[in-house]
Amino acid sequence: MALEKSDVEKIAHLARLHVDATEAGEVANRISSILNMIDQMQSVETTDVAPLAHPFDAVQRLRPDVVTETNQREYLQKIAPATQDGLYLVPKVIE
Amino acid sequence: MSRRTVAELSRSLAQGEFSSTELTRDYLDRIRKFNGVYNAYITVTEELALAQAAAADQRRARGEHGPLTGIPLAHKDIFCMQDVLTTCGSKMLANFISPYNATVVERFNAAGTVTLGKTNMDEFAMGSSNETSFFGAVRNPWDTQRVPGGSSGGSAAAVAADLCAMATGTDTGGSIRQPAAFCGITGFKPSYGRISRWGMIAFASSLDQAGPICKSAEDAALMMNVMAGPDIKDSTCVDLTAPDYMATLNDSLKGLRIGVPKQHLAKGLGAEVESALQQALKVYESLGATVHEVDLPNSHLSVSAYYVIAPAEASANLSRFDGVRYGYRCENPANLEDMYKRTRSEGFGSEVKRRIMVGTYALSAGFYDAYYLKAQQIRRLIKNDFDNAFKDVDVIIGPTTPHTAFKIGEKNDDPVTMYLEDIYTIAVNLAGLPGMSIPAGLHNGLPIGIQLVGKDFDEARLLNIAHQYQQNTDWHLQRPEV
Amino acid sequence: MVWETVIGLEVHVQLDTKSKLFSGSSTTFGAKPNTQAGIYDLAMPGTLPVFNEEVLRMAVKFGLAIDAEIGRKSVFDRKNYFYPDLPKGYQVTQLAFPTVGKGSLQITLEDGTEKVIGITRAHIEEDAGKSLHEDFQGLTGIDLNRAGTALLEIVSEPELRSAKEAVAYLKKLHSIIRYLGISDGNMSQGSMRCDANVSVRKVGAKEFGTRAEIKNINSFRFVEKAIIHEAQRQIELIEDGGRVIQETRLYDADKDETRSMRSKEVANDYRYFPEPDLLPVVIDEAYIDAVRAQLPELPNAKRARFVSQYGLSDYDAGVLASSREMGDFYEEVVKICGDAKLSSNWVTVDLQALLNKNDIEIENSPISAARLGALIGRIKDQTISSKIAKTVFEAMIGNDQSVDEIIESQGLKQVTDSGAIEKLVDEVIAGNPEQVAQYRAGKEKVFAFFIGQAMKVSKGKANPEQLNALLLQKLKG
């Protein structure tokens, strides 16, 4: 399956990646060659095959409803790019 | 002393031949001398190492030690270590001081090991050559023009060049086994769920698994005794108590049924690797094993399925790197979208971005069934193949890689060529099985690895099979000229 | 042209657990920003989710309460989108295999008829954090205390046909989650939030119209207003020859209008896929039976019991059973005074008026069930009349004297001594000869005047029945 530049732009936006207009063609080619390799799968009939999400048939363990975390705000915000009054700061979010 | 295996070092420490502090200083000296050549470490934690060594010596003096107390190790830089730089090989985390410890790190700390530092790796573990690291390529100690393999290339190179006694690695599609093969050492990927993933920065959550990178199967068993076992912090970590992996190392291999996948002996396999594999099988026959051909009819689809599932999971796992709470943030973002896009485009390297895009595409509206669902169905077929094969054999043995280590830059033009490097290892992750690579020969001065694959959670048997081979051969003891 | 409104509601209920859905961080409301955001909530690399068992129990409780199919195997999925209050860049939710499947809820309409509303599903998911737009030099502040709190999203079928029905449904849902104790349902604090899918069509039409989703409605009253407004907007649009477009609209309570959110976000592609960090949640019969055994009596069952056990009207029983607290209060009052009907009147009328006036919940009532029971007991044993009881009731507010002490100290005890009443009657007859003459001439309406006069003289304390009988007897001569 060959991707167009416009597909690349759409995917890049979904993934919040910036792809320079000059690179879009090259990126499209590389991704297309990966998709070609992937498309080998399409030759196999899998209609009645149940998808496998995890290697083993294990089930979810449950955790008791207990508070185990303590307030570590100052420590955890030491590594943040921008904070003020305990809040993480980002460019203005417009609804 | 730094050339010895962990098992040997452990005995020497116990006998008081040298102290952990002396041993640690020796490794730190070697790192100072040689890391510039191999670029195996991103961070060296000298102060911490010396403090841990002193503490280990005290523990030994008090008689409160275990076999690994005082043994110097390196952690792949994918494991979070509290108050230590944890980069995952990426510019995105080049300033990330982790606020907590991975379970694997906690367990080694509790065992009293000495942490020499954090090893280089392909960015976010995406790569088979260690060339995608933001911190530069790692060089193979057997030939510095060649790659050490990836993604745990720094750990493999550090062990091969004796810049640590043992190292941790992670394996999503071959990232422990392939570098182990290229560097002539022992690499072990346990069953999915055997070792906690808590604190191990996720690449593909349903495939990632931590494991030992070391000099022998016995060392791997010693490490597994620390690493393996349930962890309430990881829902996917199985609730099975890990056995003592040392206890069964010397079991007899009489009657062992070895399966060799016919698909692995087909075109694409280098003659030197095939020949080393055949020699190894002869060794096993001499130990009482029988060799049988097994059929893994869907194995040719594993790379395809993998390159849907792993990028899809990765595309979501890597969304958290957004410049808000930690890590890289671009300069002067114009608005929110600009912050996201520039932070992520500047912070991630091109291979990581490529995989995020492939994964995003595979999950996007209209393509989910054709890609993601299909890949999961193929995954089931691949698992079924192994289940069928294991009805007749106890272990599957084949090549780890198609050939020996390639040159730096050799496979950078086409990502698909690079992806096919993992053709023998990837299926094992898809099926969640334990697999390991052990050295089985040299060709033109470069190591060759063979891969052993076991049944679900049958790690002890796999280590036993590898150990018996190493008791009867000395490929694992070969070292490059450093 | 006669139009019909079609409404489906998506209600997010914050489950009242101590810790978050997948982490051990506290969920207390109102803590300082980011003091309840641990390393998983902050999406620190390498952190992993572990499912809170109480969330599962609460979801199954809810499912059983609405007679829903319980998912024997439920699966968590990732819903991918970027937003600063969503730290992982995906929300963990349940898409194909929710814990609660199809169920239904019975609501009572204004005319007293019952209507069953289908519930499509209820799934477990994580809440997001909060964005604060107050001035941080033009930046937005992010508080992640709420991020990762457990939500149950309850999705109704598009079976509601008016804003009033929607409110009735929402109130019933509110009542049930409070009965179950799985959430406080506080809409103003955001522990119950409602999105409404609204469309209009001509009465009799088979197809649904194009719907708009209204977000951000945070009170029962606003739900009603937002739906009325949105339906009107759509009708006017269509009647003017326009077309409704499928979009997300925000309700602005200040302006009482809905407005379109930026259409760019509508084109989102959430790329759902199974959350690989969690395994399928498997529930067996024994688990379901154990949860069922913990279920409290629910509103409908309680209402039916009140009708049969206490002989109440369906309406009164419905009011008393509308909340668990009110039902419990009522039954305690009955237990003390022994009169179910009187208790019903006092709780639904007098007490309710008092609570409404001061905007307090019955569990914080200034008059306890024990005291109200005691008061009604004194009506029943004729110590005071119903009328005097109202005076006592007023006196009980903000006064911790017992009912008897109030009656005693304020001299409100009913006069039942027939000698005293006779004396009173004689006085009134003697003092009003003109009215006596009128009465005896056949103008029987004047009787009420004598009662009034007698009560006035006795300060309301004369036993009304005795007074009645004696007056009648004496006036007839």
Side-chain angles (χ1 to χ4, degrees):
Chain A
M1 169 132 195
L3 285 195
E4 304 290 329
K5 273 189 180 180
S6 61
D7 297 321
V8 169
E9 280 158 16
K10 198 186 116 202
I11 303 165
H13 176 70
L14 279 176
R16 295 300 185 273
L17 291 170
H18 174 76
V19 177
D20 208 82
T22 56
E23 306 165 344
E26 171 69 9
V27 172
N29 287 342
R30 292 211 166 192
I31 294 179
S32 296
S33 82
I34 297 168
L35 293 175
N36 280 335
M37 176 201 73
I38 289 170
D39 277 335
Q40 250 193 77
M41 295 191 306
Q42 310 303 347
S43 63
V44 184
E45 172 59 45
T46 51
T47 313
D48 297 322
V49 181
L52 182 70
H54 276 101
F56 308 115
D57 269 337
V59 300
Q60 181 60 36
R61 242 196 328 268
L62 303 175
R63 171 179 69 80
D65 181 25
V66 177
V67 174
T68 53
E69 299 286 307
T70 51
N71 173 19
Q72 295 194 85
R73 186 176 79 183
E74 309 317 317
Y75 179 57
L76 294 172
Q77 292 195 341
K78 275 200 301 196
I79 55 173
T83 58
Q84 187 185 319
D85 305 338
L87 296 158
Y88 292 96
L89 294 186
V90 298
K92 194 151 193 88
V93 176
I94 307 153
E95 279 171 358
Chain B
M1 52 185 134
S2 55
R3 305 221 107 183
R4 300 181 203 183
T5 65
V6 170
E8 287 162 354
L9 291 173
S10 181
R11 281 190 288 274
S12 299
L13 287 171
Q15 285 159 11
E17 200 181 312
F18 43 75
S19 68
S20 172
T21 303
E22 290 168 295
L23 183 62
T24 301
R25 286 193 192 284
D26 192 45
Y27 277 113
L28 289 169
D29 281 346
R30 289 183 63 83
I31 293 170
R32 255 192 301 276
K33 264 188 227 151
F34 300 115
N35 193 49
V37 180
Y38 305 116
N39 196 25
Y41 282 87
I42 292 173
T43 303
V44 179
T45 51
E46 180 165 347
E47 257 177 62
L48 173 70
L50 291 170
Q52 286 181 327
D57 286 332
Q58 286 170 14
R59 262 178 83 167
R60 281 211 180 257
R62 290 195 305 267
E64 293 166 2
H65 56 278
L68 296 187
T69 305
I71 305 285
L73 94 168
H75 285 301
K76 184 177 183 179
D77 209 14
I78 202 168
F79 292 100
C80 287
M81 240 177 101
Q82 189 164 6
D83 299 331
V84 171
L85 188 64
T86 298
T87 71
C88 220
S90 182
K91 179 181 179 184
M92 187 61 90
L93 292 177
N95 63 356
F96 178 66
I97 308 291
S98 172
Y100 77 109
N101 275 331
T103 295
V104 163
V105 171
E106 287 278 328
R107 287 189 180 168
F108 276 112
N109 285 349
T113 58
V114 172
T115 311
L116 295 167
K118 310 291 292 293
T119 59
N120 205 341
M121 55 181 287
D122 277 301
E123 186 181 7
F124 286 103
M126 297 180 189
S128 311
S129 68
N130 226 300
E131 292 166 289
T132 72
S133 170
F134 174 65
F135 300 91
V138 176
R139 290 173 184 272
N140 191 320
W142 294 83
D143 176 353
T144 54
Q145 299 306 303
R146 291 177 186 271
V147 304
S151 65
S152 311
S155 285
V159 170
D162 297 305
L163 303 185
C164 60
M166 58 184 180
T168 53
T170 62
D171 189 317
T172 305
S175 284
I176 286 175
R177 290 159 290 160
Q178 185 250 21
F182 280 7
C183 291
I185 53 172
T186 299
F188 188 68
K189 182 203 91 77
S191 309
Y192 180 81
R194 182 57 104 177
I195 296 177
S196 170
R197 293 187 297 115
W198 174 261
M200 193 175 110
I201 299 176
F203 161 15
S205 309
S206 77
L207 300 161
D208 295 343
Q209 184 59 209
I213 293 179
C214 49
K215 293 171 186 168
S216 70
E218 186 183 19
D219 286 4
L222 284 166
M223 290 178 77
M224 281 294 287
N225 276 354
V226 171
M227 298 170 83
D231 181 11
I232 50 164
K233 291 175 176 164
D234 175 2
S235 300
T236 63
C237 187
V238 291
D239 224 354
L240 289 173
T241 308
D244 175 1
Y245 295 102
M246 293 295 283
T248 47
L249 284 182
N250 290 312
D251 286 3
S252 163
L253 298 190
K254 278 214 171 57
L256 178 78
R257 295 166 305 165
I258 295 173
V260 178
K262 64 178 182 192
Q263 286 80 5
H264 288 189
L265 300 177
K267 104 175 148 62
L269 178 63
E272 72 283 5
V273 180
E274 178 162 4
S275 143
L277 172 63
Q278 296 299 352
Q279 302 259 333
L281 293 171
K282 288 208 176 71
V283 173
Y284 277 114
E285 282 176 325
S286 75
L287 296 174
T290 54
V291 176
H292 310 266
E293 183 183 272
V294 292
D295 192 9
L296 301 174
N298 294 292
S299 62
H300 65 292
L301 298 171
S302 58
V303 178
S304 303
Y306 176 87
Y307 276 96
V308 172
I309 293 169
E313 292 182 4
S315 72
N317 282 334
L318 271 59
S319 292
R320 65 189 59 202
F321 302 107
D322 58 3
V324 177
R325 300 161 309 284
Y326 50 80
Y328 180 76
R329 178 190 285 198
C330 68
E331 297 280 334
N332 306 318
N335 53 48
L336 187 65
E337 188 175 311
D338 184 50
M339 182 192 76
Y340 280 140
K341 290 188 174 175
R342 279 204 292 125
T343 293
R344 291 168 58 77
S345 294
E346 293 164 15
F348 291 138
S350 57
E351 180 61 23
V352 170
K353 283 188 269 194
R354 189 148 50 229
R355 294 202 198 185
I356 290 174
M357 301 245 287
V358 170
T360 302
Y361 182 72
L363 292 172
S364 64
F367 297 104
Y368 181 87
D369 286 3
Y371 287 107
Y372 192 76
L373 193 68
K374 184 85 180 182
Q376 286 204 330
Q377 290 171 316
I378 302 283
R379 189 176 186 177
R380 169 85 60 189
L381 295 178
I382 287 166
K383 172 122 180 101
N384 290 348
D385 284 356
F386 278 108
D387 288 347
N388 286 331
F390 279 120
K391 283 178 189 156
D392 302 319
V393 298
D394 306 305
V395 64
I396 290 172
I397 299 184
T400 308
T401 60
H403 42 71
T404 54
F406 50 88
K407 288 210 161 112
I408 291 173
E410 188 182 328
K411 291 184 194 279
N412 282 351
D413 291 343
D414 178 11
V416 173
T417 327
M418 186 74 88
Y419 297 171
L420 293 171
E421 282 303 301
D422 294 326
I423 189 153
Y424 307 124
T425 48
I426 272 178
V428 181
N429 297 79
L430 290 170
L433 302 172
M436 73 188 293
S437 180
I438 53 174
L442 282 170
H443 176 70
N444 292 339
L446 293 174
I448 296 168
I450 56 168
Q451 178 176 231
L452 282 59
V453 180
K455 298 177 184 174
D456 303 353
F457 302 105
D458 204 10
E459 287 88 357
R461 183 66 167 152
L462 207 53
L463 289 166
N464 160 232
I465 294 166
H467 180 67
Q468 288 308 303
Y469 176 81
Q470 292 180 341
Q471 291 299 96
N472 291 279
T473 57
D474 64 359
W475 295 114
H476 67 293
L477 301 176
Q478 306 289 319
R479 284 289 175 279
E481 302 275 333
V482 174
Chain C
M1 192 79 66
V2 186
W3 294 89
E4 174 180 64
T5 311
V6 176
I7 305 149
L9 295 184
E10 290 170 16
V11 180
H12 288 87
V13 172
Q14 216 173 65
L15 297 177
D16 194 8
T17 53
K18 294 186 193 73
S19 64
K20 292 185 179 178
L21 174 52
F22 296 124
S23 80
S25 299
S26 168
T27 57
T28 313
F29 181 82
K32 288 199 173 114
N34 291 310
T35 55
Q36 293 181 163
I39 54 177
Y40 175 78
D41 317 310
L42 294 171
M44 285 291 164
T47 54
L48 296 167
V50 188
F51 186 31
N52 184 338
E53 64 176 357
E54 194 57 28
V55 174
L56 180 65
R57 195 176 356 262
M58 287 178 169
V60 171
K61 255 188 193 175
F62 177 77
L64 293 172
I66 60 160
D67 285 323
E69 298 160 14
I70 303 299
R72 296 302 195 270
K73 181 173 172 176
S74 40
V75 177
F76 287 105
D77 295 282
R78 291 184 181 178
K79 176 183 181 180
N80 294 285
Y81 64 95
F82 285 87
Y83 207 76
D85 65 14
L86 186 74
K88 295 192 289 289
Y90 55 82
Q91 178 195 33
V92 180
T93 178
Q94 298 176 324
L95 181 69
F97 302 98
T99 298
V100 179
K102 270 188 187 308
S104 64
L105 201 64
Q106 190 180 320
I107 61 172
T108 307
L109 305 182
E110 275 191 325
D111 63 3
T113 57
E114 305 283 344
K115 180 171 176 180
V116 174
I117 305 298
I119 289 180
T120 318
R121 57 186 284 148
H123 58 262
I124 298 166
E125 64 183 26
E126 296 174 296
D127 207 343
K130 283 180 181 162
S131 302
L132 302 162
H133 305 293
E134 288 84 52
D135 204 13
F136 295 100
Q137 298 90 47
L139 302 174
T140 293
I142 306 294
D143 175 9
L144 297 170
N145 278 350
R146 202 181 64 180
T149 299
L151 296 177
L152 191 64
E153 180 176 342
I154 303 156
V155 182
S156 85
E157 294 287 332
E159 293 175 352
L160 299 159
R161 289 290 174 270
S162 70
K164 284 216 165 10
E165 283 187 20
V167 172
Y169 167 84
L170 207 56
K171 285 195 167 158
K172 189 60 175 278
L173 210 54
H174 185 258
S175 153
I176 284 182
I177 61 169
R178 290 184 52 98
Y179 256 79
L180 296 172
I182 62 174
S183 174
D184 64 14
N186 188 325
M187 288 190 84
S188 61
Q189 286 183 3
S191 40
M192 182 161 155
R193 305 195 285 273
C194 179
D195 299 339
N197 286 306
V198 178
S199 65
V200 295
R201 63 178 174 187
K202 288 172 195 162
V203 167
K206 288 224 164 55
E207 302 291 316
F208 289 128
T210 306
R211 66 192 156 85
E213 185 182 14
I214 316 170
K215 287 201 178 285
N216 198 26
I217 329 181
N218 61 7
S219 79
F220 293 118
R221 198 163 60 89
F222 292 160
V223 167
E224 185 168 356
K225 292 178 81 169
I227 291 171
I228 289 171
H229 171 89
E230 176 59 19
Q232 197 53 40
R233 185 190 70 88
Q234 292 184 13
I235 291 166
E236 282 167 15
L237 191 65
I238 297 168
E239 287 183 340
D240 288 348
R243 278 180 54 204
V244 176
I245 51 166
Q246 189 166 337
E247 62 177 348
T248 303
R249 299 180 70 84
L250 268 183
Y251 178 66
D252 184 333
D254 294 335
K255 295 182 186 153
D256 187 25
E257 62 175 31
T258 66
R259 62 169 191 273
S260 183
M261 289 175 78
R262 286 168 185 245
S263 52
K264 211 155 127 193
E265 288 308 311
V266 178
N268 223 328
D269 178 347
Y270 291 120
R271 290 159 284 134
Y272 286 94
F273 74 103
E275 158 63 301
D277 286 332
L278 290 163
L279 299 167
V281 179
V282 174
I283 302 174
D284 60 15
E285 290 309 313
Y287 180 87
I288 293 173
D289 289 344
V291 176
R292 187 178 278 120
Q294 297 171 348
L295 282 184
E297 184 184 33
L298 291 168
N300 284 357
K302 185 163 285 191
R303 185 169 86 177
R305 180 168 64 81
F306 283 1
V307 170
S308 65
Q309 183 177 343
Y310 299 122
L312 301 182
S313 74
D314 206 43
Y315 179 83
D316 286 346
V319 173
L320 289 169
S322 67
S323 89
R324 191 170 169 173
E325 291 76 13
M326 188 177 294
D328 289 349
F329 191 101
Y330 167 71
E331 294 208 85
E332 203 184 326
V333 174
V334 176
K335 208 161 85 190
I336 290 162
C337 73
D339 191 314
K341 288 224 167 113
L342 265 180
S343 298
S344 166
N345 288 342
W346 276 89
V347 173
T348 59
V349 181
D350 303 274
L351 182 67
Q352 195 61 56
L354 172 70
L355 297 177
N356 287 349
K357 199 174 101 195
N358 298 294
D359 195 23
I360 33 185
E361 300 294 326
I362 196 159
E363 54 269 38
N364 302 319
S365 170
I367 293 172
S368 69
R371 295 178 83 208
L372 185 60
L375 175 66
I376 299 169
R378 288 294 167 261
I379 302 170
K380 230 188 141 208
D381 69 10
Q382 302 201 333
T383 306
I384 52 175
S385 67
S386 287
K387 193 152 177 246
I388 288 291
K390 298 201 195 287
T391 312
V392 178
F393 182 82
E394 290 296 330
M396 285 161 79
I397 305 164
N399 178 340
D400 52 12
Q401 279 184 301
S402 74
V403 170
D404 286 344
E405 281 165 355
I406 293 171
I407 294 170
E408 196 61 42
S409 66
Q410 302 196 13
L412 297 171
K413 202 165 177 178
Q414 185 161 249
V415 179
T416 49
D417 170 31
S418 53
I421 293 175
E422 188 168 3
K423 201 175 148 229
L424 187 69
V425 168
D426 288 343
E427 261 175 49
V428 172
I429 288 176
N432 296 285
E434 201 177 316
Q435 283 78 2
V436 174
Q438 286 176 355
Y439 181 84
R440 288 185 177 152
K443 200 173 174 188
E444 291 195 358
K445 268 160 78 182
V446 186
F447 187 72
F449 166 81
F450 290 104
I451 295 282
Q453 287 300 306
M455 277 298 182
K456 200 168 158 188
V457 175
S458 78
K459 301 203 177 80
K461 289 182 290 183
N463 177 297
E465 282 135 46
Q466 285 174 284
L467 179 67
N468 233 354
L470 265 174
L471 249 179
L472 211 58
Q473 188 192 325
K474 298 246 171 181
L475 281 170
K476 291 220 165 118

